[in-house]
Amino acid sequence: MRLPYSWLKELSGIDWSPEETARRLTASGTACVLEMPNPEHFQNVVIGHITKLERHPNADRLVVTEVNTGDASHTVICGAPNCAVGQKVVLALPGANLKGELAVKPITMRGVKSAGMICAEDELGISADHAGIMVLDPDAPIGQPAFEYLGLDDPVFNLEITPNRPDCLSAIGVARELAVLAGRPYAPKIDPLHEGSRAASDFIKITIADSQACPRYAARIITGLKIGPSPWWIRRRLLACGMRPINNLVDITNYVMLETGQPLHGFDYDRFGSQEVVVRRATEGESFTTLDGKEHRLDPTVLMITNGHAGVAAAGVMGGLESEVADTTTTVLLESAYFDPGVVRKSARRLGLATESSYRFERGIDPNGVVRAADRAAAMMVRFGGGEVAAGVVDNYARTISPVKIALRPAQVRRISGADVAVPFTETTLRGLGMDVTSGDTLSVVVPTFRPDITREIDLVEEVIRVYGLDNIPVSRQNGGPLYTPTHRHHTIKTDIRNILIGLGFEETMGTGFAHAERLQKIDPGLDPIRVTNSMSDEFGVMRTRLLYSLLLSAGNNVRHRNMDLAIFEIGKVYLKGEKAPLEPEYAGVLLTGRPDGVYWKGKAFESDLFELKGVLAALAEGLGLEPVSLRLEPAPGYDPAQSVAILCGGQVVGHGGLVDRRICRMFDIKQDCFGAELELTQLIAPERARKPFVSLPKFPASTRDLAVIVDASVTAEAVLNEIRAVGGGLVEAASLFDLFTGEPVPAGKKSLAFSISYRAADKTLEDEEVDRVHGRIVEYLGQKFNARLRE
Amino acid sequence: MQIILDELGRLETDAVRQITTAGTLDILEELRVQVLGKKGRLTAILRGLKDLTPDQKRDIGGRANQLKSKLEELIVSRRDELMGAASGPGLIDVTLPGRPLHHGHRHLVTLVMDQIVNIFQRMGFEIADGPDIETDYYNFSALNFPPDHPARDEQDTFYVEGDRLLRTHTSGVQVREFEKRKPPVKIIAPGLVFRNEAVNARAHCVFHQVEGFFVDTNVTFSDLKGVLEAFVYEFFGSGVAMRYRPSFFPFTEPSAEVDIRCFFCGGKGCPICKNEGWLEILGSGMIDPAVLKNVGYDSERVSGYAFGMGVERPAMLRYQVNDIRLLFENDIRFIRQFR
């Protein structure tokens, strides 16, 4: 909400500077940004009087005017359709730099010289209006700088009002805050209202069919009105508050809303259609055209103001087209009502409308300020619309809303804040906020109905503390609470995984948790993801069921930018449908593509492949204290069946991975092979084992023998290694594959495997003969079991 | 006996001369094999010792072993000389790249989130987390958001099938943890949150928050200020000016937004702080008695504070990242900039 400084100063009586005012408001909970005017944009911009007007000799659409600025007369060309002799206008003379972007210079247009420019509102930065030049009130003083006259030197506060403070959606509400902060009494002055002789009740009666939705509906009748423009000061304030002036009657309803917070609506009485206001729920399928010209099909969620037959307004949201105040209006039926906040909220949502009116009703206006606002508007209509107010308010207060009474123990202020707030300060503050306070050990506080947010003792405590100032509360530097709180492995393991993978050169990526349904379906065809029901974009259509989705998305983003060599990982949740509640297991996923290690002049760079991936997984498992990793060919969705694996640690499946299905990669714009793995986090938590005592280092030397055998291509390296270990008994300390060879001279369908075997005994130095014997036995057994023969 | 001693003498003279003048490593290795190898001259002498008397064994054996050590040393030192000459200064190009090993990078969000969480862990906060897919109860109702209240509008919500929503803040963890525990409860809860907003440079529909809360007897706003001051001093720098602005959150009363002095302009006003001189960093307050009541705590006996902060915002501020989308695009050239 926007409010000009002059208005708040006038209502509150404060004498703080705009800056100080903004600071105080912010520090007490009314966050605001001060917008200072820029006088430089109005240099050489003055009020002028059009004394003469002629057609431009060489241009149909232009006129040549004489504009008197008191000390001089200027010949000015104007193209606005509304330009006329006798008008007071805003004249920008050479040297002016409007809005800091439009420098005014003398120019010649089709042979006639123009000494300046008559301004429209948009050129001055007052509004977006460019329909014609701005025409000022007839009494505007010729020659005065426009900056002063137009009140553009008035700073404006842009206020951020929290949803609990409907009272501050008004100049009076904010002024009350300022008065409390300044320790001043606050009493807005009320203009007297002179009523005519004819009773308003002769014009209208009010029937409320739903008093839950409409506890109160009041109306005043103003007759003999004449539509015209509002005086400049009203228009100026509306513009400063960001509202568009329309005409005197509409402007007054808006002005009073901005001043009091009470939304008002003026109906053209002669076009109202009856002499009775009936407030009721819309019927199913009822049709209604709002004053913005849109037709709505209604249902009973919408509360309607009707004339007994047809709707004339959607209560609290927007009036109807047919009974709107028009240029011909002379009698106004002025509505001032209190509608239930929840009802207006639902109505507005149903209609797809959000208006200044609905915004205030949704947050809760003052049910007991309804008549005061109507009186204020009626008085202004008399003054600025030439009308007469019918006697009396027609006020149907169907469901009385009374002030709340709350007991406040002053010690609670200290208990919550930790500050020594004196009881008199508490009392003064609450009184300043409009509350009725009875002193005692426990204060008895009556809360006015313009503060619907205050219903409990804690709410009063909050009021006192915020006015006292949160910055004034002392800072406690004691560490309260437990000295020790435990850490949990399912949290610390994430840090461990990150440390290991980062150490291995992986970059951490972060996905959004969302997925595109169709793309995800290609990765995980069997799984039905959790759908987002109100997403604006397909990209956020479902929740991801696989980390692979996010990894491929990240990889695709990189490959598109020619970052072709990637080693990335992500730790995060996937979302699955569950029995009672959704399941959110956490995964760690890795993805390799290209040659992440780059090239090396000493040898050829490794292309990402299944064994690069396996090496990473092995290192990760080792780092996490898990059993060694093994892979088992096993189809997993999203991976190429030829190279799709289950990942095992000590026989336990901890995840799946492999070569990502190439069709899926292409869907993410990746045209090179990607190797991925997805590991479930809980599976990576090493079981809590009793601490094993350390193993002594060997005392006796080892003896190493190499062994190369030729076996059928189908024999796995692991099977051979297992056999070597089994046959070697306790003497084989370590055995590792150091070469794999196929092709000449190895026969087709065969492969050569070369192992390095280390023999060692714990209790003695092995004799060569002993090693030879065991080694020979291994060769023999490999021959029997795998039909292996020694390669010479 | 004397013959053997003479042989040793000749061997010494020859070998020392040949070793010290050997011109290449290959020649030196040949010499080594000739003298000390399995079939070498000295080896042969040592083998012959077994036919001698114990006294002779001691005498000649001692001399032969002395000579063996001497020659071995000479060979090693001649080898060092020859190798030094082959790899002398200027012969190796030290600008050749080393083996391509890489150290990866934490994601910027992890980096900052870990920092935040670690600071609070040092103050005795325990880490907890809650589900991303929440019920209305934990995300709103239990946190004192009335049904159909405009306060709900401030947090545009994603709804998912099954009558649930994507949490709009980490505050629901408060309720879940309170339900499981008895005071004192002192927890820090980092996590992902969602807002149904259009994605642009300044806002994303996904971001991270860290929620902290403490409930015990006699917890006051003053204690909250202490904890937040400690955090701000550690995270943003000791002595950074702070201010508390009363605000509104349904689940705290009183509520406060916390700002720090803009560390780009020192408070003079700049585009980053939008000329305000302050940067908003977190929301906080005293836990509303209605929330305590919802979890069965007696608000007359215990009180507590809660605070919540975004992670992306301070991360972006710190490194002047001007587009939040960069954080979720995961371009490695971006990720590699943070350490």
Side-chain angles (χ1 to χ4, degrees), chain A residues 26-31 33 160 162-164 342 345-346 349 362-363 409 412 414-418 456-459 462 465-466 470-488 490-491 494-495 498-499 501-514 528-536 540 543 554 557-558 561 563 565-566 568-570 573 575 577 580-582 584 586 596-601, chain B residues 96-107 109-110 114 121-134 144 148-154 157-161 164 166-167 181 184 186 192 194 196-199 204-206 208 214 216 218-223 225-227 229 233 242-248 253-257 259 276 286 288-290 298-303 312 327-333 335-336 339:
Chain A
T26 299
S28 62
T30 313
V33 175
E160 193 187 308
T162 51
N164 61 325
R345 182 176 152 89
K346 284 185 188 137
R349 289 214 156 175
E362 278 182 39
R363 282 156 179 76
R409 295 162 291 173
Q412 290 292 306
R414 195 208 148 86
R415 177 173 173 250
I416 297 300
S417 69
R456 308 163 302 167
E457 185 181 36
I458 189 73
D459 301 324
E462 192 262 354
I465 294 174
R466 79 177 173 85
L470 299 177
D471 286 329
N472 297 325
I473 293 175
V475 179
S476 157
R477 294 192 173 86
Q478 310 301 314
N479 189 2
L483 184 64
Y484 163 79
T485 49
T487 55
H488 302 287
H490 62 276
H491 293 129
K494 291 184 217 170
T495 304
R498 283 190 185 104
N499 287 342
L501 291 174
I502 286 167
L504 294 171
F506 280 71
E507 310 294 353
E508 186 184 16
T509 59
M510 198 164 277
T512 61
F514 289 110
D528 183 21
I530 296 170
R531 245 153 255 284
V532 181
T533 56
N534 64 337
S535 177
M536 290 180 285
F540 311 118
M543 303 308 290
S554 298
N557 286 340
N558 277 289
H561 291 116
N563 306 328
D565 304 314
L566 301 170
I568 57 175
F569 77 100
E570 180 170 341
K573 289 176 173 178
Y575 306 89
K577 288 183 173 171
K580 282 194 207 138
E584 302 182 3
E586 286 184 290
D597 289 337
V599 293
Y600 187 28
W601 56 275
Chain B
L96 284 169
R99 186 174 155 203
L101 298 173
H102 301 285
H103 201 267
H105 297 73
R106 272 175 185 70
H107 192 276
V109 168
T110 304
D114 282 355
Q121 276 193 296
R122 281 169 46 204
M123 292 190 262
F125 287 81
E126 178 179 346
I127 300 183
D129 46 21
D132 294 353
I133 300 177
E134 260 298 6
N144 199 33
D148 273 316
H149 191 271
R152 293 188 176 214
D153 293 348
E154 312 235 309
T157 310
F158 279 113
Y159 291 92
V160 300
E161 55 185 323
R164 280 168 203 264
L166 302 184
R167 65 176 175 186
R181 300 163 186 253
K186 193 171 179 183
L192 195 62
F194 306 82
N196 196 354
E197 290 171 5
V199 176
H204 208 287
C205 60
V206 172
H208 294 79
F214 175 39
D216 201 350
N218 304 319
V219 178
T220 68
F221 198 92
S222 190
D223 298 317
K225 287 182 76 168
V227 164
E229 183 189 84
Y233 283 8
M242 302 169 67
R243 72 170 184 184
Y244 292 78
R245 285 183 290 110
S247 187
F248 169 71
E253 185 82 318
S255 305
E257 305 257 21
D259 299 342
E276 289 182 45
M286 299 301 293
D288 196 291
D298 180 359
S299 64
E300 288 289 315
R301 207 181 64 75
V302 296
S303 53
E312 278 77 358
L327 294 172
F328 295 98
E329 271 163 20
N330 295 311
D331 191 309
I332 53 168
R333 294 166 302 176
I335 294 170
R336 284 181 176 156
R339 183 53 89 202

Side-chain angles (χ1 to χ4, degrees), chain A residues 1-4 7-8 11 25 30 157 159 161-162 165-178 186 188 241 254-263 356 359-360 363-366 372-373 450-451:
Chain A
M1 158 163 211
R2 296 166 58 84
L3 286 170
W7 202 353
L8 293 175
L11 287 168
L25 281 173
T30 313
F157 298 106
L159 302 148
I161 307 297
T162 51
R165 291 301 301 275
D167 63 306
C168 283
L169 294 169
S170 69
I172 285 179
V174 178
R176 186 186 296 110
E177 286 286 308
L178 285 170
Y186 182 67
C241 296
N254 284 333
Y255 184 88
V256 174
M257 175 183 72
L258 291 171
E259 184 180 74
T260 64
Q262 169 73 52
E356 292 280 343
Y359 192 80
R360 286 174 173 78
R363 282 156 179 76
I365 57 145
D366 181 7
R372 204 160 47 235
F450 60 74
R451 290 299 305 270

